[in-house]
Amino acid sequence: MNYSGAEILIKSLEAENVDTIFGYPGGQVLPIYDALYDADIRHILCRHEQGAAHAADGYARATGRPGVCLATSGPGATNLVTGIANAHMDSVPLVAITGQVPWSLLGRDSFQEADITGITLPITKHSYLVRDPSELARIVKEAFYIATTGRPGPVLIDIPKDVSSTVNEYIVPEELHLPGYKPVSEADSWQVVEAAKAIAASERPVIYAGGGVIISGAHEELLRFAELLMAPVATTLMGLGGFPGTHPLSLGMLGMHGTKYANFAVCECDLLIAVGARFDDRVTGKLETFAHEAKVIHIDIDPAEIGKNVRVDIPVNGDVKIVLKQLMNVLQPRLGEAWREKIQMWKKEYPIDFCDNRELKPQAVIREIYRQTGGDARITTEVGQHQMWTAQYYTFSKPRSFISSGGLGTMGYGMPAAIGVQAGCPGDTVFDIAGDGSIQMNIQELCTAVNYELPINVAVMDNGFLGMVRQWQELFYNRRYSQTKLFNPDFVKLAEAYGAEGFRVTKRSELAPVLEQAIRSSKPVMIDFMVESEENVMPMVPPGESLSKMLG
Amino acid sequence: MTHTLAVLVENTPGILARVAGLFSRRGFNIDSLAVGRSEDPGISRMTIVVEGDDSILEQVTKQLHKLIDVIKITDVTRDDFVDRELVMIKVNTETSTRAEIMQLVDIFRARIVDVGPKSLTIEVTGYESKINAFENSLRPFGILEMVRTGKVAMLRGFKSITISDHQKREETN
């Protein structure tokens, strides 16, 4: 049977069990949208291609299945770029499909032509420019395989219009032939043995768990591993939810805005076990003093991460879920009372807390969201102060419940991501915890949420500032608030104009009842929390400083 | 320390851009890069000369391996190897200097490939220090133009850098 390239594409997506695509039509994807018209795949029309990319990213992070976004050539494709870079930095399986001008016009600066495979070269795991419809089925299969295996990441497929409209035979691709791509799973046994020896010899171990724990589905293994060693666990921003925040061994988050006890524990440990984490500068602070008394074991699926930023004593290259099992097979339970007592003392002495004056503080809002959702909601965030407060005051205990732009730090990520999360997890309560700056970067997606009846809750921590930048200006630039004071629209009216419900909370007494109403509502809701304007995120490690030198 | 890497890649469009882009964005320095078809028509072979200590080389290798189309990387400098570079030099000649230049061509076992009224175009192959010495000896006459292919390298003896060898090794591992 013969099909158009576009039909082959849709058949190939169906073969990958794609149920949802986030996209935006345009000239060079007309054949693809025509084929979609009859397909069983749900298409969610976002209001900006960046929104489509973030929504697909949020869908992928919440469900663990690859997210798919679709855009036209030129500006459609370039609008995906931030979303693709975001997925690349946080290892999110994303398949981005773009239209391209026909081969006959390629390279002639044609209308809406952009070299998107060239533009995205540094921010994709792999990319394809399709030459012939006969390649399409194989390329789609490869793309999904590459995006989802090993260290996941975005793969781009650029399809010229003549390729999507030319008729060709559809042959289901057989075995993939990728001689240069062999993701690891098990670690070499000598690495496991070395790691086990170091663990047995350590007195003050700390587990430093990153997003790799969640990606590989290793949360249960991590819990058993930590309990076997009785070792405390500090997570990165991306690792939140990978270890229960309510567990006595949990140290919460480490790094720039981490808990004091997590940072003290890392400074004084004699063994640091990094599990699916990549020693980002926001985690390590000054590299020379980071865990300087410790041996370092680095467990990661990506060999290029091992030894990239810090000296590693024992590399363990493998899928963290499998490696943790390998380690537990050879390890004996241990106790380490003195070390745990010291950490308990730090926890008592330096709890994560804020000065609660019964005013409407952003931290109090987040604690109340936690209380009312019982920690069961899926939380997305934008980027800034509200993101850090969410990490500090919403105690995450389940994997894939905290969905945030970690590596790239993309303002405007949260709301489209929440749409993707809600589309992938229809029954769940979804919150986008936002700032009044970030929320306006993709505000148009509120229309998408209303359009598709996705009842997300958008909680805007409205302090009238680009809060995180203002905080740095306060601390490091003599309070010269250059371009950080915001003029805002009326968010309640704006929500209503889009067809969502809008609420405003100005007093602490209104917080609980309005939140209850929002969670009960079956419509998308936006709540404008008029929070204290110059609250700071504390504690804080000043940039480039040692973790032991925390402010606040 | 200079390392010479033999990199086998799938012969796909864009692979050169992927490799070159990787070096520039990660801040690695390439001394030279030569590409061409290998004994297998589907596989291209790149010879990349890179400057850096062991930790840089480790990162270069690991990052290169992350490219899907890169199949195999061998640091030939860790073994016995031969390397060669081909250079063409167009040198200014006067009637008075022509003989002297032709003598140098003989000494360096180079070849004259084109003769003009006021110039000679000379081809020379060899290892780097020989080529540098030849270039320096021609410099006083006035080098009008020079083009170098970049280094290519191969292991000595029966050992070879091929894909089937790679697959065989993987099966035994």
Side-chain angles (χ1 to χ4, degrees), chain A residues 410-441:
Chain A
T410 311
M411 291 171 73
Y413 170 77
M415 186 156 57
I419 287 170
V421 172
Q422 189 79 77
C425 312
D428 292 3
T429 301
V430 180
F431 267 87
D432 169 29
I433 297 179
D436 50 325
S438 290
I439 194 61
Q440 289 232 70
M441 284 212 180

Side-chain angles (χ1 to χ4, degrees), chain A residues 309-380:
Chain A
N309 291 344
V310 299
R311 150 201 69 78
V312 170
D313 298 288
I314 302 161
V316 188
N317 181 212
D319 181 324
V320 296
K321 186 183 174 96
I322 296 167
V323 172
L324 289 178
K325 281 186 193 160
Q326 285 179 284
L327 276 170
M328 284 189 283
N329 282 339
V330 293
L331 281 171
Q332 297 296 318
R334 38 164 293 146
L335 286 164
E337 293 281 347
W339 177 228
R340 259 184 308 136
E341 269 165 30
K342 189 160 195 189
I343 286 168
Q344 285 312 319
M345 186 198 78
W346 282 330
K347 277 190 169 182
K348 273 208 195 90
E349 208 167 322
Y350 309 103
I352 186 92
D353 215 345
F354 60 101
C355 167
D356 193 354
N357 55 3
R358 307 303 299 161
E359 298 291 320
L360 193 63
K361 289 229 172 178
Q363 300 95 322
V365 175
I366 289 158
R367 273 209 174 141
E368 183 61 18
I369 295 174
Y370 175 69
R371 197 187 64 79
Q372 290 205 16
T373 56
D376 269 340
R378 307 246 187 199
I379 308 287
T380 72

Side-chain angles (χ1 to χ4, degrees), chain A residues 186-515:
Chain A
E186 258 184 39
D188 285 349
S189 53
W190 71 265
Q191 296 182 327
V192 174
V193 169
E194 285 299 308
K197 268 195 234 160
I199 290 167
S202 74
E203 282 170 11
R204 304 185 305 279
V206 166
I207 298 169
Y208 149 46
V213 171
I214 292 165
I215 294 168
S216 84
H219 50 280
E220 281 170 15
E221 285 76 9
L222 179 64
L223 178 61
R224 284 200 285 127
F225 181 69
E227 286 179 344
L228 184 74
L229 306 186
M230 289 309 261
V233 181
T235 65
T236 67
L237 185 74
M238 301 313 297
L240 288 175
F243 188 79
T246 48
H247 195 283
L249 286 172
S250 170
L251 294 172
M253 185 170 75
L254 81 165
M256 184 173 273
H257 291 299
T259 62
K260 287 195 171 177
Y261 41 92
N263 286 344
F264 288 153
V266 168
C267 289
E268 293 199 13
C269 70
D270 68 349
L271 179 71
L272 186 74
I273 310 168
V275 186
R278 60 181 178 86
F279 297 85
D280 181 87
D281 56 287
R282 285 295 189 266
V283 162
T284 62
K286 193 175 180 181
L287 269 177
E288 297 76 49
T289 57
F290 178 72
H292 61 290
E293 290 179 20
K295 265 199 167 174
V296 176
I297 298 175
H298 192 176
I299 306 170
D300 206 284
I301 196 160
D302 181 356
E305 284 304 339
I306 299 174
K308 186 182 79 178
N309 291 344
V310 299
R311 150 201 69 78
V312 170
D313 298 288
I314 302 161
V316 188
N317 181 212
D319 181 324
V320 296
K321 186 183 174 96
I322 296 167
V323 172
L324 289 178
K325 281 186 193 160
Q326 285 179 284
L327 276 170
M328 284 189 283
N329 282 339
V330 293
L331 281 171
Q332 297 296 318
R334 38 164 293 146
L335 286 164
E337 293 281 347
W339 177 228
R340 259 184 308 136
E341 269 165 30
K342 189 160 195 189
I343 286 168
Q344 285 312 319
M345 186 198 78
W346 282 330
K347 277 190 169 182
K348 273 208 195 90
E349 208 167 322
Y350 309 103
I352 186 92
D353 215 345
F354 60 101
C355 167
D356 193 354
N357 55 3
R358 307 303 299 161
E359 298 291 320
L360 193 63
K361 289 229 172 178
Q363 300 95 322
V365 175
I366 289 158
R367 273 209 174 141
E368 183 61 18
I369 295 174
Y370 175 69
R371 197 187 64 79
Q372 290 205 16
T373 56
D376 269 340
R378 307 246 187 199
I379 308 287
T380 72
T381 72
E382 313 286 336
V383 168
Q385 286 184 314
H386 66 275
Q387 180 190 31
M388 292 300 118
W389 284 317
T390 305
Q392 292 176 333
Y393 292 98
Y394 192 102
T395 313
F396 291 94
S397 286
K398 290 180 184 167
R400 305 191 181 281
S401 61
F402 177 64
I403 286 149
S404 188
S405 169
L408 196 66
T410 311
M411 291 171 73
Y413 170 77
M415 186 156 57
I419 287 170
V421 172
Q422 189 79 77
C425 312
D428 292 3
T429 301
V430 180
F431 267 87
D432 169 29
I433 297 179
D436 50 325
S438 290
I439 194 61
Q440 289 232 70
M441 284 212 180
N442 271 316
I443 190 80
Q444 77 286 347
E445 299 307 330
L446 198 50
C447 198
T448 312
V450 173
N451 189 174
Y452 292 90
E453 300 177 353
L454 299 166
I456 59 168
N457 302 283
V458 182
V460 183
M461 305 294 126
D462 185 349
N463 55 14
F465 276 109
L466 293 173
M468 188 59 95
V469 184
R470 187 208 56 74
Q471 176 171 338
W472 283 50
Q473 287 172 335
E474 177 187 332
L475 297 174
F476 311 119
Y477 292 88
N478 262 333
R479 292 176 192 257
R480 288 156 56 86
Y481 293 159
S482 178
Q483 299 299 316
T484 43
K485 182 94 191 85
L486 287 178
F487 166 82
N488 284 324
D490 182 330
F491 287 114
V492 175
K493 280 189 186 162
L494 190 62
E496 287 167 355
Y498 275 117
E501 278 187 79
F503 298 97
R504 180 166 293 114
V505 173
T506 53
K507 292 198 289 283
R508 186 72 170 261
S509 58
E510 299 163 344
L511 169 57
V514 169
L515 259 180

